[in-house]
Amino acid sequence: MSAARRILALLAAGALAGLSGAERPNPWFDPPDPASYGEGRYVYRRNCAICHGETGRGDGELVQNWAIRPRNFTQAVFKYRSTPYGKLPTKADLERTIRHGVSGTPMPVFSQLRDSEISAVIEYIKTFSPDWKDPANFAAPIKLPDEPAWFSATGERATHAAAGRTRFLAACASCHGGNGDGNGPAAATLRDAFGQPIHPGDLRQPLRSGANADDTWRTIAVGINGTPMIGWNVTFTPDEIWELVASIESIRMPAPEAGSSAVP
């Protein structure tokens, strides 16, 4: 590095050091990339607009009195993320939803899309809301910890699941019910961020955010935006959340056998 560049780097570092926390650039700020607009619009119109609508309002022509409405991208409320409650998702979060779909909803798997197409359509989706241009809406994702050793040891897991059960009854049962069926005493009173009635998830079924243990951990930790389901990462330790995961998995119903006519 030349002397001139070293001086510029030192000046920049000094300028940043003098900024308050509110003034420092947010390293997670990821506004729409205009270079991807054209390709993203093409991919969106071919694959997404029929449900999410041409203007991203969740009012596509295929939607006919659906109980589960497509996401309204103009509201910029994304349920399934790795970021703290109330923050926008990372690009990796949106990629995961597009690639794997959302269980129990009409949102399908888009395995046919190339990486570049998924990246472009994400950038296009960001253009539907000005929230994506505000650095205050971005935050670092909450790190998913390694699965503890006891999670795969039957005897130890049962002990930790029992501890998680106690925690579940204290923190979760009022909404999800003591047996996890989503019919807790507060369930009938719950409303989403838009004032609409919302029912707690039936934890005996695979979660919409993903069926794996790490999906359950992440959902408990960061919560579900736009719903009363807050993030518990500031209340419970990572291992305490794993105990909750073990407790929830202990009540989960077995998947229907192949060819079964059972409806989840």
Side-chain angles (χ1 to χ4, degrees):
M1 182 185 290
S2 69
R5 287 185 177 178
R6 280 199 299 272
I7 291 171
L8 287 173
L10 288 171
L11 288 172
L16 288 176
L19 294 176
S20 68
E23 295 171 320
R24 287 196 188 103
N26 183 346
W28 294 99
F29 181 43
D30 188 20
D33 178 7
S36 299
Y37 184 87
E39 182 182 5
R41 181 175 59 179
Y42 176 79
V43 175
Y44 181 88
R45 287 181 170 177
R46 284 179 60 90
N47 297 277
C48 316
I50 194 168
C51 293
H52 291 282
E54 287 291 336
T55 59
R57 297 180 182 276
D59 56 355
E61 61 183 87
L62 191 62
V63 181
Q64 304 261 340
N65 299 318
W66 288 2
I68 302 173
R69 305 284 298 183
R71 182 69 48 234
N72 182 340
F73 295 130
T74 68
Q75 295 169 336
V77 176
F78 294 85
K79 291 184 173 181
Y80 310 122
R81 323 156 326 282
S82 61
T83 52
Y85 187 79
K87 299 298 182 181
L88 289 170
T90 67
K91 192 167 187 176
D93 292 333
L94 296 178
E95 287 175 356
R96 182 170 58 249
T97 299
I98 294 170
R99 286 193 181 284
H100 301 296
V102 180
S103 175
T105 79
M107 175 64 184
V109 173
F110 284 94
S111 56
Q112 80 281 8
L113 294 179
R114 300 189 302 271
D115 290 350
S116 61
E117 291 175 319
I118 290 178
S119 179
V121 79
I122 287 172
E123 296 304 320
Y124 183 69
I125 287 169
K126 292 179 186 180
T127 66
F128 289 127
S129 171
D131 288 11
W132 288 97
K133 297 180 180 180
D134 184 353
N137 294 323
F138 294 79
I142 293 173
K143 187 179 185 310
L144 177 70
D146 293 334
E147 191 176 280
W150 57 258
F151 203 81
S152 55
T154 305
E156 286 186 70
R157 177 172 172 144
T159 300
H160 285 277
R165 171 69 177 167
T166 300
R167 197 168 294 115
F168 179 89
L169 291 174
C172 314
S174 61
C175 294
H176 290 284
N179 65 352
D181 64 358
N183 290 312
T189 67
L190 298 179
R191 297 289 185 272
D192 65 16
F194 311 103
Q196 298 301 309
I198 186 169
H199 200 76
D202 183 346
L203 301 180
R204 302 170 304 171
Q205 306 287 349
L207 301 186
R208 290 178 183 171
S209 55
N212 298 326
D214 56 353
D215 297 315
T216 304
W217 190 98
R218 182 175 53 247
T219 303
I220 295 170
V222 305
I224 302 178
N225 279 353
T227 80
M229 174 63 189
I230 62 170
W232 290 94
N233 64 300
V234 296
T235 305
F236 299 137
T237 67
D239 207 53
E240 287 173 338
I241 294 178
W242 277 118
E243 289 180 335
L244 276 170
V245 174
S247 176
I248 291 168
E249 290 203 343
S250 72
I251 63 173
R252 189 153 291 162
M253 294 178 176
E257 295 182 4
S260 168
S261 60
V263 178

